[in-house]
Structure formats: structure tokens, C-alpha cells
């Protein structure tokens, strides 16, 4: 069954993964069902955190995945600071329990909720200080809007148990020119299919080339860089 507030829905994880630039270490501090962690290409190492030990069991013992049970708001700052000082390119995707006032149902749905506005203010202040790339999911609220004025955002419609809702993703980095995972490129199912077919054709053509021809192609692409 889908995890409450999970991002496994059709088109949802695609849109989020299409905003994630390349990184060495991936951190998902409010793991839940871990839809993004499960659907994106694995980073060299990943760290997953949740204060509910039950949601972490599936990830325990997976090579390259560190599992931490505890409060993400207190754990993240030191964790990120250590990794960044070791020269790691860190990406954090945070999908906390949404602010209660923004939810259709005002009833708690997680064993551990973030009921108070104060908890969200602490989270926002903490995330803003992290010295790495951060993406944060939520519904729009004046608190998030005013706290994250400097951040870029996208929004999109998502199907929920109670109908449709507008999902927001706030990011502290510019629109990526490169992605960590290109498998979900495209705005909708048809576009994604078209790009997947295109990539298969390119791969087949590349496989027929000599290594030197491939490197020549690579250097032409590098010359163009991110220009459109
Ligand atoms: C919105 S859900 C995450 C859903 C997930 N992105 C998915 O796709 O299934 C939020 C999660 O945050 C966890 N949580 C709540 N407060 C927390 C805290 N202070 N620290 C870490 N995890 C917390 C809850 O246990 C819940 O699993």
C-alpha cells in the first residue's frame, strides 16, 4: 500500500527526480516509504533517516546505505557539515509531514508528526543553513513562502487520497543543467517514452562506434556545454 504522503504516485517522483543534479551522497531525512530513494539512481552512498524505526527496516543491511533512526532536525547539520568538509557533493531531499493547516484532513497520519508551526520554523531555519543542495517538498503556506523567498520553486498537481492537491518543491540551487538520473526526463508519460526510445537509439548507435569516435563525440558535447 502507498505510504501516506508518499511520492510514489504517477508523475510525482518523476517531477522531483528531474530536479535533482548529480551528487555523491544522497540524504533523505524523512524517509517514510522512500519513493524518491527507491526510484532514483543510487548515489555512491546514501543516508536515510526517519524517527519511526519501522519504516527503516527494509533499508537496513543494504550496501552503500546508512540508516539512522532519530530526529532529522537535530541529526542533519553535523552529518552534512562532516560530509561537506570531506569534499563530498551532498544532496538532501526533505519530505517532512506537511504543515497541518495545509492538509485537507487535519488528523495526524504518522506515528511521528510535526504538529506545531514552531517545528516547521525550526526545520526551515535548519535547512537554510545547510551547506549543500537541498530540495524540500510541501504544500504552499505563508510560512514556507516567507521563509524560502530566496529559493527556487516548482509546483504541480498530484493525486491524493482526498482528490488532487498542488505539490510544491522548493530548492536552494539553480535549475540543473545536468541531472543525477535521466530516466524520467519529459513532462508526461508520452514525452518520457519518446525520450527513452531516443536514448535507446543513441546507445545502439554509440555501441557501433569505435572508442575514439565516442570520445570525439563526447568532446563535441563538452564544447557545447549547457547551451541550448
Ligand atoms: C511525508 S512522510 C515521507 C514520505 C516519503 N517521502 C515517501 O515517499 O513515502 C514523512 C515522514 O517523516 C517522518 N518524521 C516525522 N518527524 C520526523 C523527524 N523529526 N525526524 C525524522 N523523521 C520524521 C515520519 O515518520 C514519516 O515517515
Amino acid at each position: 500500500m502507498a505510504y501516506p504522503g508518499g511520492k510514489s504516485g504517477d508523475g510525482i517522483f518523476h517531477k522531483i527526480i528531474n530536479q535533482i543534479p548529480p551528487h555523491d551522497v544522497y540524504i533523505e531525512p524523512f524517509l517514510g516509504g522512500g519513493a524518491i530513494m527507491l526510484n532514483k539512481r543510487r548515489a555512491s552512498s546514501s543516508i536515510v533517516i526517519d524517527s519511526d524505526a519501522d519504516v527503516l527496516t527494509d533499508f537496513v543491511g543494504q550496501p552503500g546505505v546508512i540508516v539512522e533512526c532519530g530526529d532529522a532536525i537535530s541529526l542533519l547539520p553535523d552529518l552534512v557539515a562532516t560530509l561537506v568538509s570531506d569534499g563530498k557533493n551532498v544532496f538532501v531531499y526533505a519530505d517532512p509531514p506537511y504543515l497541518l493547516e495545509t492538509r485537507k484532513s487535519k488528523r495526524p497520519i504518522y506515528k511521528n508528526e510535526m504538529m506545531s508551526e514552531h517545528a516547521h520554523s525550526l526545520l526551515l531555519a535548519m535547512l537554510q543553513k545547510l551547506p549543500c543542495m537541498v530540495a524540500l517538498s510541501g504544500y504552499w503556506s505563508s510560512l514556507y513562502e516567507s521563509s524560502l523567498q530566496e529559493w527556487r520553486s516548482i509546483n504541480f498537481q498530484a493525486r491524493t487520497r482526498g482528490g488532487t492537491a498542488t505539490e510544491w518543491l522548493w530548492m536552494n540551487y539553480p535549475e540543473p543543467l545536468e541531472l543525477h538520473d535521466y530516466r524520467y526526463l519529459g513532462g508526461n508519460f508520452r514525452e518520457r517514452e519518446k525520450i527513452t526510445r531516443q536514448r535507446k537509439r543513441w546507445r545502439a548507435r554509440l555501441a557501433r562506434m569505435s572508442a575514439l569516435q565516442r570520445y570525439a563525440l563526447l568532446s563535441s558535447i563538452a564544447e557545447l556545454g549547457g547551451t541550448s
Side-chain angles (χ1 to χ4, degrees):
M1 206 179 75
Y3 194 80
K7 298 294 176 280
S8 58
D10 195 30
I12 303 178
F13 68 84
H14 311 74
K15 290 210 168 55
I16 296 172
I17 293 174
N18 283 342
Q19 294 292 328
I20 302 184
H23 51 272
D24 310 316
V25 183
Y26 175 75
I27 308 182
E28 193 163 335
F30 298 90
L31 185 70
I36 302 303
M37 167 73 185
L38 290 170
N39 284 291
K40 74 181 263 297
R41 185 170 70 77
R42 282 283 162 97
S44 310
S45 56
S46 307
I47 303 172
V48 295
I49 304 171
D50 203 291
S51 54
D52 179 354
D54 291 345
V55 308
L56 296 167
T57 48
D58 287 350
F59 291 89
V60 174
Q62 287 196 21
V65 181
I66 295 168
V67 174
E68 295 254 14
C69 184
D71 171 30
I73 301 176
S74 18
L75 287 171
L76 267 180
D78 286 351
L79 193 61
V80 171
T82 309
L83 290 162
V84 170
S85 69
D86 281 352
K88 298 279 192 275
N89 182 14
V90 179
F91 182 87
V92 172
Y93 170 63
D95 183 20
Y98 289 1
L99 202 55
L100 215 56
E101 66 170 55
T102 65
R103 298 196 211 159
K104 280 195 182 118
S105 157
K106 311 285 182 224
R107 281 193 307 271
I109 48 174
Y110 306 108
K111 208 192 276 178
N112 301 308
E113 281 282 354
M114 284 176 48
M115 302 292 268
S116 69
E117 200 168 302
H118 181 63
H120 285 266
S121 299
L122 289 179
L123 170 71
L124 292 165
M126 184 276 290
L127 292 178
Q128 281 172 296
K129 284 194 212 120
L130 291 182
C132 68
M133 295 181 284
V134 180
L136 167 68
S137 279
Y139 290 148
W140 187 93
S141 67
S142 51
L143 174 67
Y144 276 50
E145 171 81 6
S146 60
S147 307
L148 302 172
Q149 274 174 26
E150 310 283 305
W151 290 30
R152 186 171 68 87
S153 64
I154 59 163
N155 61 73
F156 50 91
Q157 295 302 302
R159 238 176 286 151
T160 70
R161 287 175 187 184
T164 53
T166 308
E167 279 282 338
W168 283 70
L169 185 73
W170 287 270
M171 292 150 281
N172 70 349
Y173 52 89
E175 195 169 342
L177 294 175
E178 287 180 67
L179 297 182
H180 185 78
D181 189 340
Y182 291 98
R183 288 175 301 167
Y184 307 112
L185 210 55
N188 54 43
F189 178 75
R190 291 186 74 139
E191 265 180 44
R192 283 195 288 276
E193 280 226 303
K194 194 173 142 201
I195 295 170
T196 304
R197 278 200 300 271
Q198 216 169 30
R199 289 185 70 201
K200 274 194 187 139
R201 282 199 299 274
W202 290 339
R203 188 185 283 247
R205 218 179 292 168
L206 285 165
R208 291 194 295 272
M209 289 181 186
S210 70
L212 280 179
Q213 278 177 310
R214 259 180 248 147
Y215 281 118
L217 194 72
L218 214 56
S219 85
S220 308
I221 293 170
E223 274 165 31
L224 285 175
T227 53
S228 51

